[in-house]
Amino acid sequence: MNKGIYIALEGMDGVGKSTVMPYIEDYIKSKGREVVTVREIGSTPLGERLRDIIKSNCPMDATSEFLLMLTARHQLFNDVVRPALADGKVVISDRYYMSTIAYQCAGRRLNYALVETMHKNLSLWTYADYVFILQKPFDDAIKAQGGGDRFESSLDYQLRVYNFYANQGYPVFDKKNCGHIFNIDVHPDPNVTARHVTNKLSFL
Protein backbone atom coordinates (compact mmCIF):
# COMPACT_ATOMS: atom_id res chain seq x y z
CA MET A 1 0.00 0.00 0.00
CA ASN A 2 1.18 3.53 -0.75
CA LYS A 3 2.20 5.79 2.10
CA GLY A 4 -0.33 8.49 2.87
CA ILE A 5 0.87 11.96 1.91
CA TYR A 6 -0.38 15.19 3.46
CA ILE A 7 -0.03 18.36 1.36
CA ALA A 8 -1.08 21.79 2.64
CA LEU A 9 -1.65 24.91 0.57
CA GLU A 10 -1.12 28.06 2.58
CA GLY A 11 -1.17 31.82 2.09
CA MET A 12 -3.31 34.85 2.83
CA ASP A 13 -6.83 35.16 1.44
CA GLY A 14 -6.85 36.12 -2.22
CA VAL A 15 -3.70 34.27 -3.37
CA GLY A 16 -5.68 31.58 -5.19
CA LYS A 17 -5.34 28.39 -3.13
CA SER A 18 -8.80 27.08 -4.00
CA THR A 19 -8.26 27.98 -7.67
CA VAL A 20 -5.03 26.04 -8.06
CA MET A 21 -6.01 23.03 -5.93
CA PRO A 22 -8.02 21.19 -8.66
CA TYR A 23 -5.06 21.40 -11.06
CA ILE A 24 -2.78 19.82 -8.45
CA GLU A 25 -5.41 17.21 -7.66
CA ASP A 26 -5.78 16.23 -11.33
CA TYR A 27 -2.02 15.91 -11.77
CA ILE A 28 -1.61 13.63 -8.76
CA LYS A 29 -4.55 11.50 -9.88
CA SER A 30 -2.95 11.19 -13.33
CA LYS A 31 -0.02 9.52 -11.58
CA GLY A 32 -2.31 6.84 -10.20
CA ARG A 33 -2.75 8.11 -6.64
CA GLU A 34 -6.06 8.48 -4.82
CA VAL A 35 -6.63 12.05 -3.65
CA VAL A 36 -8.83 13.55 -0.96
CA THR A 37 -9.24 17.33 -0.90
CA VAL A 38 -10.31 19.24 2.19
CA ARG A 39 -10.58 22.83 3.28
CA GLU A 40 -10.16 24.49 6.63
CA ILE A 41 -12.51 25.58 8.01
CA GLY A 42 -14.95 22.94 6.73
CA SER A 43 -15.16 19.58 4.92
CA THR A 44 -17.36 17.99 7.62
CA PRO A 45 -20.99 18.83 8.44
CA LEU A 46 -19.89 20.39 11.73
CA GLY A 47 -16.98 22.17 10.10
CA GLU A 48 -19.17 23.76 7.45
CA ARG A 49 -21.60 25.02 10.08
CA LEU A 50 -18.74 26.47 12.08
CA ARG A 51 -17.28 28.00 8.91
CA ASP A 52 -20.45 30.01 8.40
CA ILE A 53 -20.28 31.29 11.98
CA ILE A 54 -16.55 32.06 11.99
CA LYS A 55 -16.54 33.84 8.64
CA SER A 56 -19.60 35.91 9.53
CA ASN A 57 -19.33 39.24 11.28
CA CYS A 58 -20.72 37.76 14.50
CA PRO A 59 -18.83 39.51 17.32
CA MET A 60 -16.24 37.26 18.97
CA ASP A 61 -12.84 37.71 20.50
CA ALA A 62 -9.65 36.08 19.23
CA THR A 63 -9.77 33.20 21.72
CA SER A 64 -13.37 32.30 20.85
CA GLU A 65 -12.52 32.44 17.15
CA PHE A 66 -9.55 30.12 17.72
CA LEU A 67 -11.56 27.60 19.78
CA LEU A 68 -14.24 27.36 17.11
CA MET A 69 -11.59 26.78 14.45
CA LEU A 70 -9.89 24.20 16.64
CA THR A 71 -13.19 22.34 17.02
CA ALA A 72 -13.62 22.25 13.25
CA ARG A 73 -10.03 21.05 12.76
CA HIS A 74 -10.42 18.30 15.38
CA GLN A 75 -13.54 16.97 13.62
CA LEU A 76 -11.87 17.17 10.20
CA PHE A 77 -8.79 15.24 11.28
CA ASN A 78 -10.77 12.54 13.06
CA ASP A 79 -13.37 12.08 10.32
CA VAL A 80 -11.41 12.67 7.11
CA VAL A 81 -7.68 13.39 7.22
CA ARG A 82 -6.34 10.62 9.46
CA PRO A 83 -8.47 7.85 7.87
CA ALA A 84 -7.43 8.97 4.37
CA LEU A 85 -3.74 8.99 5.28
CA ALA A 86 -4.07 5.58 6.95
CA ASP A 87 -5.54 4.27 3.66
CA GLY A 88 -2.50 5.49 1.73
CA LYS A 89 -4.26 8.40 0.03
CA VAL A 90 -2.91 11.84 -0.78
CA VAL A 91 -4.67 14.56 1.21
CA ILE A 92 -4.53 18.09 -0.19
CA SER A 93 -5.68 20.67 2.32
CA ASP A 94 -6.65 24.25 1.60
CA ARG A 95 -5.08 25.59 4.81
CA TYR A 96 -3.36 23.88 7.71
CA TYR A 97 -2.55 24.80 11.29
CA MET A 98 -0.06 27.36 9.90
CA SER A 99 -3.16 29.43 9.11
CA THR A 100 -4.01 29.55 12.80
CA ILE A 101 -0.55 30.88 13.59
CA ALA A 102 -0.84 33.41 10.76
CA TYR A 103 -4.39 34.63 11.36
CA GLN A 104 -4.89 34.19 15.10
CA CYS A 105 -1.33 34.61 16.45
CA ALA A 106 0.23 37.06 13.98
CA GLY A 107 -3.05 38.67 12.91
CA ARG A 108 -5.10 38.72 16.12
CA ARG A 109 -2.05 38.62 18.40
CA LEU A 110 -3.34 35.54 20.21
CA ASN A 111 -0.82 33.94 22.57
CA TYR A 112 1.23 31.39 20.62
CA ALA A 113 1.78 29.17 23.67
CA LEU A 114 -2.00 28.66 23.95
CA VAL A 115 -2.25 27.63 20.29
CA GLU A 116 0.71 25.25 20.59
CA THR A 117 -0.52 23.65 23.82
CA MET A 118 -4.06 23.09 22.59
CA HIS A 119 -2.88 21.53 19.33
CA LYS A 120 -0.47 19.21 21.12
CA ASN A 121 -3.02 18.19 23.75
CA LEU A 122 -5.54 17.31 21.03
CA SER A 123 -2.90 15.58 18.84
CA LEU A 124 -3.47 18.15 16.09
CA TRP A 125 0.21 19.12 15.74
CA THR A 126 0.07 17.00 12.61
CA TYR A 127 3.07 16.42 10.36
CA ALA A 128 2.64 17.68 6.78
CA ASP A 129 4.83 16.17 4.09
CA TYR A 130 4.64 19.33 1.98
CA VAL A 131 3.56 22.87 2.79
CA PHE A 132 3.28 25.30 -0.13
CA ILE A 133 2.91 28.98 0.75
CA LEU A 134 1.34 30.73 -2.24
CA GLN A 135 2.59 34.28 -2.57
CA LYS A 136 1.45 37.31 -4.54
CA PRO A 137 1.87 41.04 -3.92
CA PHE A 138 -0.22 42.31 -1.01
CA ASP A 139 -2.30 44.72 -3.11
CA ASP A 140 -3.08 42.00 -5.67
CA ALA A 141 -4.27 39.62 -2.95
CA ILE A 142 -6.47 42.32 -1.43
CA LYS A 143 -8.05 43.05 -4.84
CA ALA A 144 -8.83 39.35 -5.32
CA GLN A 145 -10.75 39.12 -2.04
CA GLY A 146 -14.49 39.42 -1.71
CA GLY A 147 -14.12 41.73 1.27
CA GLY A 148 -17.19 40.37 3.00
CA ASP A 149 -15.98 38.37 6.01
CA ARG A 150 -14.16 38.99 9.27
CA PHE A 151 -10.80 37.94 7.84
CA GLU A 152 -10.92 40.53 5.05
CA SER A 153 -11.99 43.57 7.06
CA SER A 154 -8.88 45.31 8.41
CA LEU A 155 -5.88 46.12 6.23
CA ASP A 156 -3.59 46.39 9.26
CA TYR A 157 -4.65 42.91 10.37
CA GLN A 158 -4.17 41.48 6.89
CA LEU A 159 -0.76 43.10 6.57
CA ARG A 160 0.38 41.26 9.71
CA VAL A 161 -0.85 38.02 8.14
CA TYR A 162 0.89 38.84 4.85
CA ASN A 163 4.18 39.56 6.61
CA PHE A 164 3.98 36.25 8.47
CA TYR A 165 3.65 34.34 5.19
CA ALA A 166 6.24 36.51 3.44
CA ASN A 167 8.72 35.40 6.10
CA GLN A 168 7.72 31.73 5.54
CA GLY A 169 6.26 31.50 9.01
CA TYR A 170 9.34 32.61 10.90
CA PRO A 171 10.05 32.81 13.75
CA VAL A 172 7.27 30.82 15.41
CA PHE A 173 6.35 28.15 12.88
CA ASP A 174 7.94 24.86 13.87
CA LYS A 175 9.63 23.44 10.76
CA LYS A 176 9.91 20.07 12.52
CA ASN A 177 6.20 19.60 11.81
CA CYS A 178 6.57 19.54 8.03
CA GLY A 179 8.81 17.67 5.66
CA HIS A 180 9.22 20.33 3.00
CA ILE A 181 8.11 23.95 2.93
CA PHE A 182 8.19 26.07 -0.23
CA ASN A 183 7.24 29.59 -1.24
CA ILE A 184 5.40 29.55 -4.59
CA ASP A 185 4.97 32.74 -6.61
CA VAL A 186 1.45 32.75 -8.02
CA HIS A 187 1.20 33.03 -11.80
CA PRO A 188 -1.91 34.46 -13.54
CA ASP A 189 -2.34 31.04 -15.19
CA PRO A 190 -3.24 28.51 -12.45
CA ASN A 191 -1.77 25.73 -14.61
CA VAL A 192 1.63 27.37 -14.27
CA THR A 193 1.27 27.78 -10.51
CA ALA A 194 0.20 24.14 -10.23
CA ARG A 195 3.28 23.02 -12.16
CA HIS A 196 5.50 24.97 -9.75
CA VAL A 197 3.88 22.95 -6.96
CA THR A 198 3.85 19.51 -8.60
CA ASN A 199 7.49 19.86 -9.67
CA LYS A 200 8.34 19.77 -5.96
CA LEU A 201 6.42 16.54 -5.22
CA SER A 202 9.23 14.02 -5.08
CA PHE A 203 6.95 11.12 -4.09
CA LEU A 204 5.38 10.96 -7.59
Side-chain angles (χ1 to χ4, degrees):
M1 184 174 71
N2 289 317
K3 175 185 178 294
I5 300 291
Y6 184 28
I7 300 169
L9 302 180
E10 277 288 350
M12 71 176 291
D13 286 346
V15 297
K17 297 178 303 300
S18 59
T19 299
V20 76
M21 180 186 280
Y23 295 87
I24 300 168
E25 177 187 7
D26 288 347
Y27 180 83
I28 296 173
K29 284 181 175 178
S30 76
K31 299 298 182 179
R33 296 297 300 266
E34 289 187 78
V35 179
V36 173
T37 60
V38 297
R39 68 175 182 175
E40 292 199 23
I41 317 144
S43 293
T44 67
L46 176 61
E48 292 298 327
R49 293 285 295 274
L50 290 173
R51 182 184 181 88
D52 290 340
I53 295 170
I54 294 167
K55 290 180 75 69
S56 74
N57 290 313
C58 176
M60 67 181 77
D61 63 22
T63 302
S64 297
E65 181 182 272
F66 163 64
L67 292 173
L68 289 175
M69 298 183 79
L70 193 67
T71 300
R73 180 170 294 139
H74 187 267
Q75 195 74 36
L76 174 64
F77 271 78
N78 283 344
D79 288 1
V80 182
V81 174
R82 289 195 181 103
L85 293 174
D87 286 343
K89 297 175 183 177
V90 177
V91 177
I92 310 174
S93 181
D94 181 344
R95 297 204 177 282
Y96 169 61
Y97 82 84
M98 182 187 274
S99 287
T100 299
I101 303 172
Y103 279 86
Q104 277 70 53
C105 294
R108 303 280 190 222
R109 298 192 171 104
L110 188 68
N111 183 271
Y112 175 71
L114 170 67
V115 172
E116 181 182 40
T117 299
M118 293 292 288
H119 276 82
K120 287 183 175 178
N121 287 346
L122 294 171
S123 300
L124 292 175
W125 217 243
T126 302
Y127 183 90
D129 297 280
Y130 298 88
V131 177
F132 295 98
I133 304 176
L134 273 58
Q135 305 273 14
K136 66 165 57 173
F138 179 73
D139 289 345
D140 291 347
I142 294 297
K143 289 175 185 175
Q145 295 175 4
D149 65 46
R150 67 190 305 109
F151 300 111
E152 299 175 352
S153 55
S154 164
L155 286 180
D156 287 343
Y157 163 70
Q158 291 204 75
L159 187 58
R160 291 194 293 272
V161 172
Y162 173 83
N163 287 333
F164 174 87
Y165 283 124
N167 290 316
Q168 207 182 51
Y170 292 114
V172 297
F173 184 66
D174 188 352
K175 303 303 187 298
K176 292 182 293 186
N177 286 286
C178 62
H180 306 280
I181 182 168
F182 300 101
N183 282 331
I184 301 293
D185 291 330
V186 174
H187 191 275
D189 182 349
N191 270 302
V192 175
T193 305
R195 283 200 300 274
H196 291 327
V197 170
T198 56
N199 285 342
K200 305 290 187 182
L201 299 178
S202 58
F203 70 93
L204 294 174

